[in-house]
Amino acid sequence: MRLRHIKGCEDFITDAKECIREDEAIALKGKIQDIFDIRRPLQIEIGMGKGQFIRNMALKNPGINFIGIERYESVLMKAIQRKRNLESEKAIDNLRFLCADARKLTDIFETGEVDKIFLNFSDPWPKDRHANRRLTSPDFLQVYDRILKPEGVIEFKTDNVGLFEYSLEVVKESKWKLDFCSFDFHSEKESEGNIMTEYEEKFSGQGNKICKMIISR
């Protein structure tokens, strides 16, 4: 789906104190937590969309720093605006945003710098020739292997069964360990306290089952 460009979003992102761009983040490699007031365990969401999930994660977990990563400026602009609207009631000082391509993660994060990675409703890239663009492809798993702590984990949710089955096969053929897997996550006891994304609310409201896996090394 083609995203609608919002006039002025580039300047908005550049001026936003809550956000840094890819080149700035690369310059901060090994010191990315300097963008926060306090250093804490670090969790990231790759492809956060409008940011509902990571905002609520930050509110629920004040002892953790969160970075929401999104490469589309128009979408990122909305995420920042919604954070600011919430801050009229409660400051969210443990959430920052990064405008960057996920393929640059090893240029931005130091080895073992990230505690957890969230992949929520990622673009399925359904054509075979685009398989390496999927955020659960072998290439991306190698990226996550470098930036995650040894005990770090990845949590992946999607409503796309084809993408989920592909991801299971990738994990099966890798050194990663499948800690949790469900083709109907909302029916599991593990879904208690689940924080939903905008897409998750929409798709589950339409009767679609949500798939989830958790993997580690």
Side-chain angles (χ1 to χ4, degrees):
M1 181 177 67
R2 186 171 183 176
L3 296 172
R4 181 174 66 88
H5 179 267
I6 299 176
K7 185 177 179 180
C9 64
E10 297 91 347
D11 291 338
F12 180 93
I13 297 302
T14 298
D15 295 339
K17 60 181 176 55
E18 309 94 330
C19 182
I20 59 172
R21 289 189 174 275
E22 188 177 282
D23 57 342
E24 298 173 286
I26 291 172
L28 278 174
K29 183 173 181 178
K31 299 181 292 183
I32 195 71
Q33 291 231 46
D34 287 354
I35 65 177
F36 295 96
D37 296 331
I38 302 172
R39 286 178 173 265
R40 307 176 177 99
L42 180 63
Q43 300 184 6
I44 66 175
E45 182 185 10
I46 303 170
M48 65 163 188
K50 296 174 186 175
Q52 175 174 295
F53 172 83
I54 203 161
R55 282 195 310 273
N56 287 328
M57 286 293 293
L59 285 167
K60 187 178 179 180
N61 301 279
I64 297 172
N65 283 339
F66 293 89
I67 297 178
I69 302 170
E70 177 59 57
R71 66 173 177 161
Y72 296 111
E73 293 168 321
S74 295
V75 179
L76 183 53
M77 177 178 173
K78 291 182 179 179
I80 295 171
Q81 290 173 329
R82 293 181 184 189
K83 174 181 181 288
R84 290 177 180 177
N85 289 339
L86 272 179
E87 286 185 323
S88 63
E89 303 174 8
K90 180 179 177 62
I92 314 175
D93 65 354
N94 60 330
L95 173 60
R96 298 290 185 271
F97 301 107
L98 170 57
C99 186
D101 191 309
R103 290 173 290 188
K104 296 290 186 178
L105 290 177
T106 54
D107 295 325
I108 294 170
F109 296 101
E110 193 55 82
T111 301
E113 190 171 11
V114 177
D115 291 86
K116 183 180 286 189
I117 295 173
F118 297 100
L119 306 173
N120 292 316
F121 300 88
S122 309
D123 191 328
W125 292 103
K127 295 181 179 179
D128 289 342
R129 69 176 183 270
H130 294 150
N132 63 343
R133 299 185 187 183
R134 298 169 189 160
L135 291 181
T136 53
S137 70
D139 288 347
F140 274 111
L141 287 187
Q142 289 182 11
V143 169
Y144 309 148
D145 185 46
R146 289 180 59 183
I147 67 174
L148 273 175
K149 285 182 167 59
E151 66 277 14
V153 300
I154 300 171
E155 296 194 7
F156 170 56
K157 285 193 288 189
T158 182
D159 73 317
N160 189 298
V161 175
L163 177 60
F164 195 67
E165 290 175 339
Y166 162 84
S167 305
L168 285 173
E169 285 300 312
V170 171
V171 170
K172 181 180 177 181
E173 296 173 4
S174 72
K175 67 178 182 180
W176 292 81
K177 179 177 66 174
L178 189 64
D179 297 323
F180 175 80
C181 176
S182 175
F183 282 83
D184 188 8
F185 173 57
H186 287 184
S187 70
E188 308 279 0
K189 59 181 177 58
E190 287 84 356
S191 68
E192 183 177 347
N194 173 53
I195 291 177
M196 292 197 283
T197 73
E198 294 94 340
Y199 282 118
E200 189 170 358
E201 287 183 346
K202 176 183 176 181
F203 295 147
S204 61
Q206 293 172 346
N208 296 348
K209 292 181 179 179
I210 304 302
C211 306
K212 179 172 182 176
M213 70 169 69
I214 301 174
I215 62 173
S216 64
R217 276 102 81 209

